[in-house]
Amino acid sequence: MTSIEAAVERWDGRMTIVERDPGSGTWMVVAVHSTALGPAAGGLRMAVYPSPGDAVTDAHRLSAAMTRKFAVCGVPMGGGKAVLAVPSLPTGAARVALLHRFGDLLASLGGLFGCATDMNTTSDDMDVIAERTEFVYSRTTGHGGSGSTAPATAQGVHHAVRATLAHLTGSPDPAGRRVAVQGVGAVGGKLAVHLAADGAEVVVADADRARAEAVATAVKGRAVDPDRIVEEPCDVLAPCGPGGVIGPSTIPRLRCRAVVGAANNQLASEEDAERLRAAGILWAPDYVVNSGGVLYGAGLEMLGWTEDVLAERLAGIGDTLLEIYERADAAGVSTLEVAEQLWRERLAAAGERGRAGTG
Ligand code: NAI
């Protein structure tokens, strides 16, 4: 267990706001990592944590990841994240009351941070928060929001797979290539459909076996045991389920040429980027690959993009990856190292004066 003081002391971000909601016993946390590029935005996660300090630590980690994601995909927003550390996931009137209290907290911050959906929060929840503040995104389309980000995220991953194939083989065309998709939920399921439409051979796995079978049938592919998907011989392994799936125990089992997927925090630790490089496997940094979700939400709701601009920016995910691959090859370093350089360069170019990991 971590104390709140220890979590705040070791963080390199700008600001941590903690408020307790006595009625529900919830710790409400807003972590603003950086405002160098613009006002901070990020998801609102609701979860049970061992201690309030662990909730703050999680908010810090997720907030820093948002700084990277916005910077690397060229969106003028700062990294932020909010956490509601609940004793148990609330429903009904208790949930509405908590979301209203959180909405009041956001309103009091006056736009420093705006929230969107994340684990255990939905667009319906965002509609409830919007009853108290304007600083909330990913509401339902019926309430003026843009709805689910998953289709755009899947399109971004599709561009990422094509760019990776171009780098590896000289052609972006997935036709005749084999792609293994781990987790075929909202994003992975759509990715499987895009790749099958390109003529790729698609192998899928999901903890929900019925879901895997349904997607396999739809894409005329094959479903395999979720414990075995990482061992599937393929050109690209696409992790689109849980995080932490690439680590010392899985890397020796991989039989792919590249790992390109939507899952957040795919690597068990940063050292795994170098382990993958040493194994001759190309890794597409996850926060670049899955940035389609923020391009969609921020672009359409905050930045006034048209669908055409959004489509161009989603395609740009592939261009960013190609730049990362070329720089990594030239310098003989991991793709993670180059992605980290890239977001820092973009923050520096924007005249970052504060901390946010740049100093
Ligand atoms: P989802 O919840 O719709 O789908 C995840 C799927 O993974 C589910 O079908 C689940 O049964 C399956 N799964 C869970 N554990 C598994 C395991 N051990 N092996 C195989 N399958 C397993 O989630 P969604 O929205 O498709 O997101 C997928 C990943 O992409 C997550 O890591 C998420 O954080 C990340 N992501 C999603 C974005 C979005 O716009 N939805 C944006 C950026 C990242």
Side-chain angles (χ1 to χ4, degrees), residues 45 69 148-151 153 182-188 205-208 211 226 229 239-243 245 262-264 290-291 293-294:
R45 177 166 291 199
K69 199 175 288 196
S148 170
T149 55
T153 303
Q182 178 188 46
V184 282
V187 176
D206 198 290
D208 179 337
R211 183 175 291 168
I229 187 83
C240 295
V245 290
N264 272 313
N290 67 22
S291 58
V294 298

mmCIF file of all heavy atoms in Angstrom, residues 45 69 148-151 153 182-188 205-208 211 226 229 239-243 245 262-264 290-291 293-294, ligand 1:
data_model
loop_
_atom_site.group_PDB
_atom_site.id
_atom_site.type_symbol
_atom_site.label_atom_id
_atom_site.label_comp_id
_atom_site.label_asym_id
_atom_site.label_seq_id
_atom_site.Cartn_x
_atom_site.Cartn_y
_atom_site.Cartn_z
ATOM 1 N N ARG A 45 -11.849 6.796 -14.326
ATOM 2 C CA ARG A 45 -11.876 5.378 -13.981
ATOM 3 C C ARG A 45 -12.551 5.199 -12.641
ATOM 4 O O ARG A 45 -12.279 5.949 -11.697
ATOM 5 C CB ARG A 45 -10.421 4.868 -13.929
ATOM 6 C CG ARG A 45 -10.276 3.438 -13.519
ATOM 7 C CD ARG A 45 -8.885 2.930 -13.832
ATOM 8 N NE ARG A 45 -8.677 2.811 -15.279
ATOM 9 C CZ ARG A 45 -7.711 2.071 -15.840
ATOM 10 N NH1 ARG A 45 -6.876 1.407 -15.084
ATOM 11 N NH2 ARG A 45 -7.583 1.987 -17.147
ATOM 12 N N LYS A 69 0.318 10.367 -24.951
ATOM 13 C CA LYS A 69 -0.583 10.052 -26.066
ATOM 14 C C LYS A 69 -0.966 11.318 -26.829
ATOM 15 O O LYS A 69 -0.903 11.363 -28.055
ATOM 16 C CB LYS A 69 -1.837 9.344 -25.525
ATOM 17 C CG LYS A 69 -2.587 8.604 -26.587
ATOM 18 C CD LYS A 69 -3.753 7.821 -26.030
ATOM 19 C CE LYS A 69 -3.359 6.598 -25.248
ATOM 20 N NZ LYS A 69 -4.476 5.668 -25.033
ATOM 21 N N SER A 148 -19.183 6.101 -28.631
ATOM 22 C CA SER A 148 -18.055 5.180 -28.460
ATOM 23 C C SER A 148 -16.842 5.558 -29.315
ATOM 24 O O SER A 148 -16.969 5.881 -30.497
ATOM 25 C CB SER A 148 -18.492 3.765 -28.832
ATOM 26 O OG SER A 148 -17.364 2.913 -28.900
ATOM 27 N N THR A 149 -15.662 5.456 -28.709
ATOM 28 C CA THR A 149 -14.413 5.718 -29.426
ATOM 29 C C THR A 149 -13.885 4.458 -30.116
ATOM 30 O O THR A 149 -12.943 4.539 -30.907
ATOM 31 C CB THR A 149 -13.321 6.194 -28.446
ATOM 32 O OG1 THR A 149 -13.192 5.214 -27.414
ATOM 33 C CG2 THR A 149 -13.645 7.548 -27.849
ATOM 34 N N ALA A 150 -14.479 3.296 -29.794
ATOM 35 C CA ALA A 150 -13.889 2.028 -30.244
ATOM 36 C C ALA A 150 -13.741 1.918 -31.772
ATOM 37 O O ALA A 150 -12.684 1.464 -32.237
ATOM 38 C CB ALA A 150 -14.701 0.848 -29.699
ATOM 39 N N PRO A 151 -14.734 2.329 -32.582
ATOM 40 C CA PRO A 151 -14.538 2.195 -34.033
ATOM 41 C C PRO A 151 -13.329 2.984 -34.528
ATOM 42 O O PRO A 151 -12.570 2.494 -35.371
ATOM 43 C CB PRO A 151 -15.852 2.738 -34.618
ATOM 44 C CG PRO A 151 -16.865 2.559 -33.530
ATOM 45 C CD PRO A 151 -16.109 2.782 -32.255
ATOM 46 N N THR A 153 -10.706 3.855 -32.725
ATOM 47 C CA THR A 153 -9.500 3.195 -32.213
ATOM 48 C C THR A 153 -9.139 2.024 -33.122
ATOM 49 O O THR A 153 -7.969 1.832 -33.475
ATOM 50 C CB THR A 153 -9.727 2.706 -30.762
ATOM 51 O OG1 THR A 153 -10.104 3.828 -29.968
ATOM 52 C CG2 THR A 153 -8.475 2.073 -30.182
ATOM 53 N N GLN A 182 -5.744 -10.856 -30.038
ATOM 54 C CA GLN A 182 -6.018 -11.307 -28.662
ATOM 55 C C GLN A 182 -7.043 -10.367 -28.038
ATOM 56 O O GLN A 182 -6.737 -9.218 -27.749
ATOM 57 C CB GLN A 182 -4.722 -11.254 -27.841
ATOM 58 C CG GLN A 182 -4.901 -11.663 -26.387
ATOM 59 C CD GLN A 182 -3.636 -11.419 -25.574
ATOM 60 O OE1 GLN A 182 -3.029 -10.361 -25.674
ATOM 61 N NE2 GLN A 182 -3.228 -12.404 -24.799
ATOM 62 N N GLY A 183 -8.263 -10.847 -27.848
ATOM 63 C CA GLY A 183 -9.330 -10.002 -27.307
ATOM 64 C C GLY A 183 -10.117 -9.384 -28.441
ATOM 65 O O GLY A 183 -9.622 -8.488 -29.130
ATOM 66 N N VAL A 184 -11.329 -9.891 -28.658
ATOM 67 C CA VAL A 184 -12.126 -9.374 -29.774
ATOM 68 C C VAL A 184 -13.385 -8.691 -29.242
ATOM 69 O O VAL A 184 -14.511 -9.038 -29.584
ATOM 70 C CB VAL A 184 -12.456 -10.465 -30.822
ATOM 71 C CG1 VAL A 184 -11.244 -10.710 -31.702
ATOM 72 C CG2 VAL A 184 -12.911 -11.766 -30.170
ATOM 73 N N GLY A 185 -13.163 -7.707 -28.358
ATOM 74 C CA GLY A 185 -14.266 -6.894 -27.855
ATOM 75 C C GLY A 185 -14.539 -5.757 -28.819
ATOM 76 O O GLY A 185 -14.461 -5.924 -30.045
ATOM 77 N N ALA A 186 -14.829 -4.576 -28.253
ATOM 78 C CA ALA A 186 -15.247 -3.443 -29.077
ATOM 79 C C ALA A 186 -14.196 -3.080 -30.130
ATOM 80 O O ALA A 186 -14.531 -2.814 -31.283
ATOM 81 C CB ALA A 186 -15.527 -2.240 -28.171
ATOM 82 N N VAL A 187 -12.913 -3.079 -29.744
ATOM 83 C CA VAL A 187 -11.860 -2.686 -30.689
ATOM 84 C C VAL A 187 -11.369 -3.898 -31.492
ATOM 85 O O VAL A 187 -11.348 -3.877 -32.729
ATOM 86 C CB VAL A 187 -10.669 -2.033 -29.942
ATOM 87 C CG1 VAL A 187 -9.542 -1.718 -30.922
ATOM 88 C CG2 VAL A 187 -11.112 -0.763 -29.231
ATOM 89 N N GLY A 188 -10.971 -4.966 -30.782
ATOM 90 C CA GLY A 188 -10.392 -6.128 -31.460
ATOM 91 C C GLY A 188 -11.350 -6.759 -32.454
ATOM 92 O O GLY A 188 -10.939 -7.212 -33.531
ATOM 93 N N ALA A 205 -8.725 -14.897 -30.367
ATOM 94 C CA ALA A 205 -8.951 -15.548 -29.071
ATOM 95 C C ALA A 205 -9.586 -14.528 -28.146
ATOM 96 O O ALA A 205 -9.334 -13.327 -28.273
ATOM 97 C CB ALA A 205 -7.636 -16.030 -28.475
ATOM 98 N N ASP A 206 -10.411 -15.017 -27.238
ATOM 99 C CA ASP A 206 -11.020 -14.120 -26.254
ATOM 100 C C ASP A 206 -11.326 -14.949 -25.013
ATOM 101 O O ASP A 206 -11.631 -16.149 -25.108
ATOM 102 C CB ASP A 206 -12.319 -13.513 -26.813
ATOM 103 C CG ASP A 206 -12.735 -12.270 -26.042
ATOM 104 O OD1 ASP A 206 -13.145 -12.395 -24.867
ATOM 105 O OD2 ASP A 206 -12.625 -11.158 -26.602
ATOM 106 N N ALA A 207 -11.242 -14.289 -23.846
ATOM 107 C CA ALA A 207 -11.592 -14.967 -22.599
ATOM 108 C C ALA A 207 -13.047 -15.439 -22.686
ATOM 109 O O ALA A 207 -13.423 -16.438 -22.075
ATOM 110 C CB ALA A 207 -11.394 -14.011 -21.432
ATOM 111 N N ASP A 208 -13.851 -14.701 -23.433
ATOM 112 C CA ASP A 208 -15.233 -15.091 -23.698
ATOM 113 C C ASP A 208 -15.228 -15.937 -24.984
ATOM 114 O O ASP A 208 -15.169 -15.415 -26.098
ATOM 115 C CB ASP A 208 -16.057 -13.799 -23.871
ATOM 116 C CG ASP A 208 -17.526 -14.066 -24.190
ATOM 117 O OD1 ASP A 208 -17.834 -15.160 -24.692
ATOM 118 O OD2 ASP A 208 -18.342 -13.164 -23.960
ATOM 119 N N ARG A 211 -17.734 -15.319 -27.758
ATOM 120 C CA ARG A 211 -17.439 -14.109 -28.533
ATOM 121 C C ARG A 211 -16.363 -14.411 -29.579
ATOM 122 O O ARG A 211 -16.451 -13.993 -30.736
ATOM 123 C CB ARG A 211 -16.973 -13.012 -27.585
ATOM 124 C CG ARG A 211 -16.705 -11.694 -28.279
ATOM 125 C CD ARG A 211 -16.374 -10.603 -27.279
ATOM 126 N NE ARG A 211 -17.520 -10.238 -26.482
ATOM 127 C CZ ARG A 211 -17.471 -9.480 -25.380
ATOM 128 N NH1 ARG A 211 -16.306 -9.033 -24.946
ATOM 129 N NH2 ARG A 211 -18.552 -9.187 -24.702
ATOM 130 N N PRO A 226 -7.441 -18.898 -25.536
ATOM 131 C CA PRO A 226 -6.830 -17.617 -25.158
ATOM 132 C C PRO A 226 -5.432 -17.770 -24.545
ATOM 133 O O PRO A 226 -4.620 -16.856 -24.640
ATOM 134 C CB PRO A 226 -7.813 -17.009 -24.154
ATOM 135 C CG PRO A 226 -8.843 -18.029 -23.874
ATOM 136 C CD PRO A 226 -8.767 -19.088 -24.922
ATOM 137 N N ILE A 229 -2.876 -18.001 -27.769
ATOM 138 C CA ILE A 229 -2.848 -17.057 -28.900
ATOM 139 C C ILE A 229 -1.455 -16.450 -29.096
ATOM 140 O O ILE A 229 -1.025 -16.209 -30.220
ATOM 141 C CB ILE A 229 -3.941 -15.955 -28.745
ATOM 142 C CG1 ILE A 229 -4.026 -15.064 -29.993
ATOM 143 C CG2 ILE A 229 -3.711 -15.069 -27.534
ATOM 144 C CD1 ILE A 229 -4.843 -15.597 -31.097
ATOM 145 N N PRO A 239 -2.484 -7.423 -29.557
ATOM 146 C CA PRO A 239 -3.116 -7.504 -28.230
ATOM 147 C C PRO A 239 -4.208 -6.441 -28.106
ATOM 148 O O PRO A 239 -3.917 -5.253 -28.168
ATOM 149 C CB PRO A 239 -1.959 -7.202 -27.258
ATOM 150 C CG PRO A 239 -0.696 -7.266 -28.065
ATOM 151 C CD PRO A 239 -1.113 -6.919 -29.466
ATOM 152 N N CYS A 240 -5.442 -6.873 -27.974
ATOM 153 C CA CYS A 240 -6.571 -5.942 -27.868
ATOM 154 C C CYS A 240 -7.449 -6.300 -26.671
ATOM 155 O O CYS A 240 -8.663 -6.062 -26.665
ATOM 156 C CB CYS A 240 -7.405 -5.975 -29.150
ATOM 157 S SG CYS A 240 -6.521 -5.389 -30.600
ATOM 158 N N GLY A 241 -6.835 -6.890 -25.671
ATOM 159 C CA GLY A 241 -7.561 -7.250 -24.447
ATOM 160 C C GLY A 241 -6.899 -6.580 -23.256
ATOM 161 O O GLY A 241 -6.746 -5.363 -23.230
ATOM 162 N N PRO A 242 -6.457 -7.370 -22.287
ATOM 163 C CA PRO A 242 -5.859 -6.772 -21.086
ATOM 164 C C PRO A 242 -4.441 -6.258 -21.339
ATOM 165 O O PRO A 242 -3.816 -6.605 -22.351
ATOM 166 C CB PRO A 242 -5.833 -7.939 -20.091
ATOM 167 C CG PRO A 242 -5.865 -9.164 -20.921
ATOM 168 C CD PRO A 242 -6.545 -8.824 -22.214
ATOM 169 N N GLY A 243 -3.924 -5.456 -20.394
ATOM 170 C CA GLY A 243 -2.543 -4.982 -20.468
ATOM 171 C C GLY A 243 -1.587 -6.004 -19.866
ATOM 172 O O GLY A 243 -2.006 -7.076 -19.402
ATOM 173 N N VAL A 245 0.511 -8.042 -21.156
ATOM 174 C CA VAL A 245 0.553 -9.381 -21.763
ATOM 175 C C VAL A 245 1.903 -9.703 -22.407
ATOM 176 O O VAL A 245 2.164 -10.840 -22.778
ATOM 177 C CB VAL A 245 -0.571 -9.579 -22.808
ATOM 178 C CG1 VAL A 245 -1.922 -9.647 -22.122
ATOM 179 C CG2 VAL A 245 -0.563 -8.484 -23.858
ATOM 180 N N ALA A 262 -4.194 -2.642 -29.645
ATOM 181 C CA ALA A 262 -4.842 -1.520 -28.962
ATOM 182 C C ALA A 262 -4.624 -1.526 -27.455
ATOM 183 O O ALA A 262 -4.756 -0.491 -26.814
ATOM 184 C CB ALA A 262 -6.353 -1.573 -29.225
ATOM 185 N N ALA A 263 -4.330 -2.685 -26.875
ATOM 186 C CA ALA A 263 -4.320 -2.779 -25.409
ATOM 187 C C ALA A 263 -3.384 -1.738 -24.803
ATOM 188 O O ALA A 263 -2.268 -1.538 -25.279
ATOM 189 C CB ALA A 263 -3.909 -4.177 -24.976
ATOM 190 N N ASN A 264 -3.861 -1.084 -23.758
ATOM 191 C CA ASN A 264 -3.041 -0.123 -23.022
ATOM 192 C C ASN A 264 -2.020 -0.861 -22.178
ATOM 193 O O ASN A 264 -2.300 -1.946 -21.658
ATOM 194 C CB ASN A 264 -3.940 0.705 -22.082
ATOM 195 C CG ASN A 264 -4.502 1.933 -22.781
ATOM 196 O OD1 ASN A 264 -3.773 2.673 -23.445
ATOM 197 N ND2 ASN A 264 -5.796 2.148 -22.628
ATOM 198 N N ASN A 290 -2.940 3.059 -30.237
ATOM 199 C CA ASN A 290 -4.340 3.178 -29.798
ATOM 200 C C ASN A 290 -4.807 4.630 -29.640
ATOM 201 O O ASN A 290 -5.824 4.885 -29.006
ATOM 202 C CB ASN A 290 -4.580 2.359 -28.526
ATOM 203 C CG ASN A 290 -3.846 2.904 -27.309
ATOM 204 O OD1 ASN A 290 -3.480 4.068 -27.264
ATOM 205 N ND2 ASN A 290 -3.654 2.047 -26.307
ATOM 206 N N SER A 291 -4.070 5.564 -30.256
ATOM 207 C CA SER A 291 -4.441 6.973 -30.075
ATOM 208 C C SER A 291 -5.672 7.381 -30.902
ATOM 209 O O SER A 291 -6.136 8.512 -30.791
ATOM 210 C CB SER A 291 -3.247 7.888 -30.401
ATOM 211 O OG SER A 291 -2.808 7.675 -31.725
ATOM 212 N N GLY A 293 -8.641 6.625 -30.381
ATOM 213 C CA GLY A 293 -9.730 6.952 -29.448
ATOM 214 C C GLY A 293 -9.679 8.418 -29.034
ATOM 215 O O GLY A 293 -10.708 9.108 -29.036
ATOM 216 N N VAL A 294 -8.490 8.910 -28.695
ATOM 217 C CA VAL A 294 -8.409 10.325 -28.290
ATOM 218 C C VAL A 294 -8.512 11.245 -29.497
ATOM 219 O O VAL A 294 -9.045 12.344 -29.392
ATOM 220 C CB VAL A 294 -7.152 10.665 -27.454
ATOM 221 C CG1 VAL A 294 -7.110 9.903 -26.161
ATOM 222 C CG2 VAL A 294 -5.876 10.483 -28.221
HETATM 223 P P1 NAI B 1 -13.561 -4.544 -24.478
HETATM 224 O O1 NAI B 1 -13.818 -4.758 -23.029
HETATM 225 O O2 NAI B 1 -14.708 -4.235 -25.385
HETATM 226 O O3 NAI B 1 -12.810 -5.832 -25.100
HETATM 227 C C1 NAI B 1 -11.785 -6.504 -24.444
HETATM 228 C C2 NAI B 1 -11.928 -7.971 -24.783
HETATM 229 O O4 NAI B 1 -10.795 -8.680 -24.263
HETATM 230 C C3 NAI B 1 -13.173 -8.616 -24.193
HETATM 231 O O5 NAI B 1 -13.866 -9.303 -25.215
HETATM 232 C C4 NAI B 1 -12.618 -9.580 -23.146
HETATM 233 O O6 NAI B 1 -13.421 -10.739 -22.987
HETATM 234 C C5 NAI B 1 -11.276 -9.919 -23.742
HETATM 235 N N1 NAI B 1 -10.289 -10.444 -22.797
HETATM 236 C C6 NAI B 1 -10.108 -10.113 -21.493
HETATM 237 N N2 NAI B 1 -9.102 -10.841 -20.970
HETATM 238 C C7 NAI B 1 -8.618 -11.613 -21.975
HETATM 239 C C8 NAI B 1 -7.566 -12.539 -22.074
HETATM 240 N N3 NAI B 1 -6.790 -12.840 -21.019
HETATM 241 N N4 NAI B 1 -7.351 -13.155 -23.266
HETATM 242 C C9 NAI B 1 -8.113 -12.876 -24.341
HETATM 243 N N5 NAI B 1 -9.145 -11.995 -24.296
HETATM 244 C C10 NAI B 1 -9.373 -11.363 -23.134
HETATM 245 O O7 NAI B 1 -12.441 -3.387 -24.547
HETATM 246 P P2 NAI B 1 -12.037 -2.502 -25.801
HETATM 247 O O8 NAI B 1 -12.726 -1.198 -25.730
HETATM 248 O O9 NAI B 1 -12.125 -3.333 -27.042
HETATM 249 O O10 NAI B 1 -10.496 -2.209 -25.474
HETATM 250 C C11 NAI B 1 -9.509 -3.188 -25.697
HETATM 251 C C12 NAI B 1 -8.157 -2.676 -25.223
HETATM 252 O O11 NAI B 1 -7.836 -1.476 -25.929
HETATM 253 C C13 NAI B 1 -8.101 -2.322 -23.738
HETATM 254 O O12 NAI B 1 -6.810 -2.598 -23.247
HETATM 255 C C14 NAI B 1 -8.327 -0.815 -23.743
HETATM 256 O O13 NAI B 1 -7.738 -0.193 -22.603
HETATM 257 C C15 NAI B 1 -7.592 -0.429 -25.008
HETATM 258 N N6 NAI B 1 -8.072 0.831 -25.584
HETATM 259 C C16 NAI B 1 -9.373 0.959 -25.979
HETATM 260 C C17 NAI B 1 -9.799 2.153 -26.536
HETATM 261 C C18 NAI B 1 -11.208 2.329 -27.000
HETATM 262 O O14 NAI B 1 -11.470 3.316 -27.706
HETATM 263 N N7 NAI B 1 -12.138 1.434 -26.683
HETATM 264 C C19 NAI B 1 -8.895 3.306 -26.706
HETATM 265 C C20 NAI B 1 -7.521 3.024 -26.307
HETATM 266 C C21 NAI B 1 -7.146 1.837 -25.762
#
